[in-house]
Amino acid sequence: MTYAIRPVESELELVEAFDVMGAQFPKPLTHEDRHFTDLARRFPQDRSMMLVVEDEGRLVGGALAFRGGEADPGCDVTLRIIALVPEHRRRGLGRRLVERIEQEATRLGVRGIGLGADEAVGFYRRLGYRGKGGMYKALPLSSHDDPGSRRRALEELRERRRARLQGH
Ligand SMILES: CC(C)(COP(=O)(O)OP(=O)(O)OC[C@H]1O[C@@H](n2cnc3c(N)ncnc32)[C@H](O)[C@@H]1OP(=O)(O)O)[C@@H](O)C(=O)NCCC(=O)NCCS
């Protein structure tokens, strides 16, 4: 199997990716679910953290994250959903997806990654996430000291406020 991990290409593909991932849970989720709303709002700005896995052109899973956290919207990334269809699990793809989101979040100067974990707590623990229910991992500090990344984070925050005020 030749896997390709790449960012979601379009809003339409974001919907498809969420539905494929959502179908992997005991209580399936679809993009009609409120959990999809934040992702759609952050597309395409945070597209680099919205990833799909393809196996010979077929979408077999992915991980979708965006900037914005419950506690501190300017500083955190939320990993909203990660899932692979069963026959592609336990091959290291979940780890690759999370690590790629972490790299991208670090590049963007984000402080840490939070997620709500009802399932697969053991998986997240292996990747360094801590907590119960709400899990969190702090990212390396180096990029936070980069004034460029602080400026970008601030601009980002302003842009979000502007969008909110304009009712988007
Ligand atoms: C959770 C999920 C994304 C993990 O992806 P994966 O590709 O199977 O995981 P990986 O092969 O990259 O595993 C990474 C590490 O976590 C461990 N691991 C994987 N799934 C685990 C689980 N359910 N419990 C405990 N450890 C787990 C692996 O053994 C591996 O450890 P190692 O690298 O030290 O050997 C996948 O099992 C899945 O799609 N599950 C259904 C949907 C789901 O529950 N999503 C998470 C909640 S949003």
Side-chain angles (χ1 to χ4, degrees), residues 91-107:
R91 294 165 187 257
L93 286 166
R95 179 187 283 278
R96 279 171 65 188
L97 285 163
V98 173
E99 286 177 353
R100 180 141 163 197
I101 288 172
E102 289 172 357
Q103 277 162 15
E104 187 56 24
T106 302
R107 193 184 70 75

Side-chain angles (χ1 to χ4, degrees), residues 25 82-84 89-92 94-95 119 122-124 126:
F25 292 88
I82 176 169
L84 295 149
R89 291 180 197 163
R90 298 283 181 153
R91 294 165 187 257
R95 179 187 283 278
E119 330 268 336
F123 164 71
Y124 292 120
R126 294 217 51 89

Side-chain angles (χ1 to χ4, degrees), residues 39-154:
L39 284 159
R41 196 180 296 134
R42 293 302 304 158
F43 189 86
Q45 298 94 317
D46 289 348
R47 193 173 79 93
S48 60
M49 294 183 288
M50 299 180 188
L51 305 172
V52 291
V53 182
E54 270 184 342
D55 174 36
E56 286 163 13
R58 202 167 64 92
L59 213 157
V60 297
L64 304 173
F66 57 90
R67 272 173 290 183
E70 312 281 315
D72 199 345
C75 298
D76 288 339
V77 155
T78 298
L79 174 55
R80 175 53 35 99
I81 188 167
I82 176 169
L84 295 149
V85 301
E87 59 270 35
H88 300 281
R89 291 180 197 163
R90 298 283 181 153
R91 294 165 187 257
L93 286 166
R95 179 187 283 278
R96 279 171 65 188
L97 285 163
V98 173
E99 286 177 353
R100 180 141 163 197
I101 288 172
E102 289 172 357
Q103 277 162 15
E104 187 56 24
T106 302
R107 193 184 70 75
L108 291 166
V110 166
R111 191 186 59 178
I113 301 190
L115 54 95
D118 298 330
E119 330 268 336
V121 172
F123 164 71
Y124 292 120
R125 290 194 71 79
R126 294 217 51 89
L127 299 184
Y129 288 76
R130 296 293 176 258
K132 279 187 189 151
M135 300 184 85
Y136 188 80
K137 181 176 176 179
L139 295 171
L141 288 169
S142 56
S143 65
H144 304 165
D145 297 333
D146 161 19
S149 76
R150 274 203 301 274
R151 199 188 55 242
R152 281 193 298 279
L154 233 117

